Amino acid sequence: MQFEVWAPQADRVTLHCEGTTRALARDPAREGWWTGEAEAADGARYGFALDDGPVLPDPRSRRQPDGPDGLSAVVDHGRHEWRARWAGRGLPGAVLYELHVGTYTREGTLDAAAARLDHLVELGITHVELMPLCPFPGRHGWGYEGVSLWTVHEPYGGPEALKRFVDRAHELGLGVVLDVVHNHLGPSGNHLPRFGPYFTDTHTTPWGAAVNLDAPGSDEVRAFLVGSALAWLRDYRIDGLRLDAVHQLYDTRACHFLEELSAAVDTLAGEVGRPLFLIAESDLNNPRFITRRAENGLGLHAQWSDDFHHALHTALTGEAQGYYADFAREPFAALAKTLTGGYFHDGTYSSFRGRHHGRPLDRTRVAGHRLLGYSQTHDQVGNRAQGDRLAALLSPGLLACAATLTLTAPFTPMLFMGEEWAAGTPWQFFTDHTDPELAEAVRRGRRREFAAHGWAEEDVPDPQDPATRERSCLDWSEPEREPHARVLAWYRRLIALRHTRPDLTAPDLAATRVAYDEEARWLALRRGDVRVAVNLGKQTAAIPLGTGRGEVLAAWEPVPAPGPDGLLHVPGESCVVLTQP
């Protein structure tokens, strides 16, 4: 078997494989690369020693059986026999479901999560979005401090378990999206700096030195990240990738890393004959991320829309702290602007940032499905001090209103696991750091952060306490009980309408119409012949929809169709979807 590693700063590289050692030779065709052959079958353990240093795992390791600090293991991807015949499933018309493997079930494994996929099929989900799977120290964590970007966290089941999960999802008609983190690696178990200039002090991020995308040696670093992304899509048959915090990918080169990545993914899609896509997380409100490369964009296929979330959250809860302040002044106006224009901040002044922010989205060139809309995500729930979901803050009626706007908006809707039944379990920040000093630093930092916002330190859960993770696991007995069962039925009804009413997946953002009353707290949305009305107030609202016969398709509380006066009378904290040509 051929072994190779990029280690441009080393004078000697030694391969340690299954108890034997072999000196690698410089590759004359590739500067900084070392190569050599050794007998090794699937599962063989190996690592590299640089000069007189310790044996380290392979930066491109396909498996880490003993965690990030252990030896790597050979993986023969050709050994897996795929069962599902899968032609792929693109983003237009999709409904995504964000899932954390470690808390979706109490077992916290990919196989246990796969056994619960029938629930998502019955719900009407089209794609499962898995939170990061790369290895990290310990057993439980969110996954955003992973290392070994080419493989799967062993406590989740490792590479073979991911293949089984994807196969099962595809058998059920579900696409699979994977959250990947290219902007930083975890502080523990990260051995990349020993091999080469994977990071640079030219730029800094909240996590320290930036990933090296434009300094000397960045050609190989970019190839490393692109290769990792393509491996998920090719070797594991993943359908799309969610790219974490792309605004922290600092790149001054003429061809931005994201443009290079999107071109490589589009090429692979042509080779494998199925749609593949990239979804960015970005708070820049820069349309260039989701503009085609031929039009001087970066060519990503979609992005998360925090503006929609923030506007909806402030309208529902009245919260106005932090970044919610920009939306809370007139939340219904903010919601209307976001529903029709994609961005709220499109060059407007942001008091939270103390400057103008964003630029307008060209609605004639950007289809609505390129923005993901949601009322909850792992970030927006888990980064609250106690990880409280909307279900802990709102009545079932207001939860139904949140679902209605999310699932009838012109964006691609995404749910956060458990929200479909108003889960009573929180989703808190938890870690399992094996380094005692790092564990204590995270614990203290978390408590200081929220103490600065008025929380008592003792009220902030200890991330290292196993009970914090346990509290965050979904309770699968809830969907059978009220009020959870009623909320679940409402989500199923809305998703079914989205799949059967073409107006709800129409791509034209400019065709969306919104009316609202800030004081009375109602908003009405028009998508073709479909009308949506939500009343967030406590009193019945008379919402003018205009004359014309209407047919109620779904209502949280019984609502008659509009009368001759064109008024729709919606009870307090309720919502309705109807047709009105």
Side-chain angles (χ1 to χ4, degrees):
M1 176 179 172
Q2 184 79 15
F3 288 88
E4 59 181 16
V5 65
W6 183 60
Q9 300 161 347
D11 293 322
R12 300 182 309 281
V13 177
T14 305
L15 169 68
H16 292 248
C17 182
E18 292 292 295
T20 65
T21 60
R22 177 185 177 87
L24 300 186
R26 294 183 186 273
D27 187 335
R30 296 180 298 167
E31 184 176 354
W33 281 86
W34 300 76
T35 65
E37 292 187 357
E39 293 290 332
D42 184 81
R45 306 292 183 90
Y46 72 99
F48 300 109
L50 310 181
D51 299 325
D52 297 321
V55 180
L56 302 173
D58 184 355
R60 287 170 168 76
S61 171
R62 271 59 169 188
R63 187 181 172 202
Q64 289 297 120
D66 302 311
D69 293 314
L71 290 176
S72 300
V74 173
V75 173
D76 180 0
H77 286 298
R79 288 169 54 93
H80 185 81
E81 296 184 7
W82 294 93
R83 302 186 307 269
R85 297 174 60 86
W86 182 245
R89 193 163 191 172
L91 268 180
V95 179
L96 275 66
Y97 187 94
E98 189 184 23
L99 183 158
H100 178 261
V101 169
T103 50
Y104 186 62
T105 66
R106 203 158 290 277
E107 296 91 335
T109 66
L110 283 156
D111 286 333
R116 291 283 186 181
L117 289 178
D118 287 337
H119 165 76
L120 302 187
V121 175
E122 295 170 3
L123 181 59
I125 297 300
T126 66
H127 294 75
V128 184
E129 181 176 306
L130 298 173
M131 287 174 61
L133 299 179
C134 291
F136 52 87
R139 178 175 178 81
H140 296 298
W142 279 20
Y144 291 94
E145 293 184 342
V147 296
S148 298
L149 300 187
W150 296 57
T151 191
V152 180
H153 191 47
E154 200 71 17
Y156 289 166
E160 286 303 308
L162 178 57
K163 292 174 186 175
R164 291 191 296 269
F165 180 94
V166 173
D167 224 358
R168 179 57 181 157
H170 287 171
E171 285 181 326
L172 294 171
L174 295 167
V176 181
V177 182
L178 177 62
D179 196 339
V180 296
V181 184
H182 289 160
N183 51 64
H184 73 289
L185 277 80
S188 180
N190 177 14
H191 302 288
L192 287 182
R194 300 192 185 190
F195 284 89
Y198 282 90
F199 300 90
T200 173
D201 292 328
T202 304
H203 312 286
T204 59
T205 75
W207 310 285
V211 173
N212 178 16
L213 299 175
D214 57 5
S218 59
D219 286 355
E220 291 293 350
V221 178
R222 292 161 74 107
F224 171 81
L225 296 176
V226 170
S228 168
L230 297 184
W232 295 116
L233 300 170
R234 180 187 59 245
D235 299 336
Y236 293 92
R237 300 194 178 184
I238 299 288
D239 298 283
L241 302 176
R242 183 258 192 190
L243 309 176
D244 182 64
V246 297
H247 48 277
Q248 298 291 345
L249 294 172
Y250 296 106
D251 184 6
T252 61
R253 291 169 59 161
C255 179
H256 194 281
F257 165 72
L258 292 175
E259 181 180 356
E260 181 180 339
L261 176 61
S262 71
V265 169
D266 287 348
T267 298
L268 180 62
E271 293 173 357
V272 300
R274 56 186 174 89
L276 303 173
F277 52 85
L278 298 171
I279 303 171
E281 181 202 16
S282 169
D283 71 352
L284 298 181
N285 284 18
N286 184 352
R288 188 168 178 243
F289 283 107
I290 52 175
T291 299
R292 294 187 304 170
R293 295 188 303 277
E295 298 172 351
N296 199 34
L298 300 182
L300 303 180
H301 305 88
Q303 72 159 92
W304 278 27
S305 177
D306 274 352
D307 279 11
F308 172 75
H309 169 272
H310 297 347
L312 178 58
H313 187 88
T314 56
L316 290 165
T317 68
E319 292 184 359
Q321 71 275 19
Y323 47 64
Y324 290 139
D326 291 338
F327 301 82
R329 292 185 182 89
E330 295 182 303
F332 285 79
L335 191 52
K337 181 178 180 181
T338 307
L339 284 165
T340 55
Y343 297 149
F344 173 70
H345 282 306
D346 54 4
T348 55
Y349 183 78
S350 166
S351 62
F352 171 69
R353 297 174 176 86
R355 59 171 175 80
H356 287 75
H357 185 67
R359 65 183 303 169
L361 189 73
D362 186 346
R363 298 182 300 167
T364 66
R365 295 197 303 173
V366 178
H369 76 262
R370 292 185 179 273
L371 296 172
L372 268 64
Y374 35 83
S375 65
Q376 301 178 74
T377 69
H378 78 274
D379 268 332
Q380 303 303 336
V381 175
N383 282 325
R384 298 173 67 86
Q386 295 186 327
D388 44 333
R389 298 168 177 265
L390 282 181
L393 308 174
L394 305 176
S395 68
L398 288 179
L399 294 177
C401 291
T404 300
L405 288 175
T406 301
L407 290 164
T408 62
F411 315 129
T412 295
M414 184 182 74
L415 313 182
F416 178 57
M417 62 175 197
E419 79 163 80
E420 72 275 17
W421 72 69
T425 50
W427 202 74
Q428 300 175 334
F429 180 71
F430 53 90
T431 56
D432 189 20
H433 291 302
T434 53
D435 180 342
E437 292 185 4
L438 178 59
E440 183 60 23
V442 171
R443 181 185 294 115
R444 290 180 179 272
R446 187 79 175 174
R447 289 177 171 169
R448 280 198 305 268
E449 176 186 355
F450 286 105
H453 294 284
W455 290 84
E457 288 197 17
E458 60 269 20
D459 291 338
V460 179
D462 178 0
Q464 284 286 120
D465 185 346
T468 304
R469 179 261 171 182
E470 288 293 318
R471 284 191 297 270
S472 301
C473 293
L474 290 178
D475 178 356
W476 282 92
S477 71
E478 286 185 336
E480 302 173 1
R481 308 194 304 266
E482 296 296 350
H484 308 288
R486 185 184 179 193
V487 174
L488 178 57
W490 182 248
Y491 270 84
R492 285 174 175 164
R493 178 62 180 148
L494 291 173
I495 295 174
L497 286 176
R498 188 171 185 92
H499 289 323
T500 56
R501 295 283 171 171
D503 285 337
L504 292 179
T505 52
D508 187 1
L509 272 174
T512 301
R513 298 286 184 270
V514 176
Y516 63 92
D517 187 317
E518 199 83 51
E519 184 175 351
R521 293 180 53 75
W522 62 258
L523 181 143
L525 176 69
R526 177 177 178 176
R527 306 284 316 282
D529 289 340
V530 176
R531 306 288 192 274
V532 179
V534 298
N535 177 12
L536 306 188
K538 292 187 178 298
Q539 305 302 318
T540 297
I543 302 176
L545 293 187
T547 58
R549 295 179 60 85
E551 176 189 355
V552 174
L553 301 175
W556 179 250
E557 299 288 356
V559 175
D565 58 1
L567 294 177
L568 179 69
H569 297 273
V570 182
E573 299 188 352
S574 189
C575 43
V576 59
V577 181
L578 64 159
T579 57
Q580 190 181 48

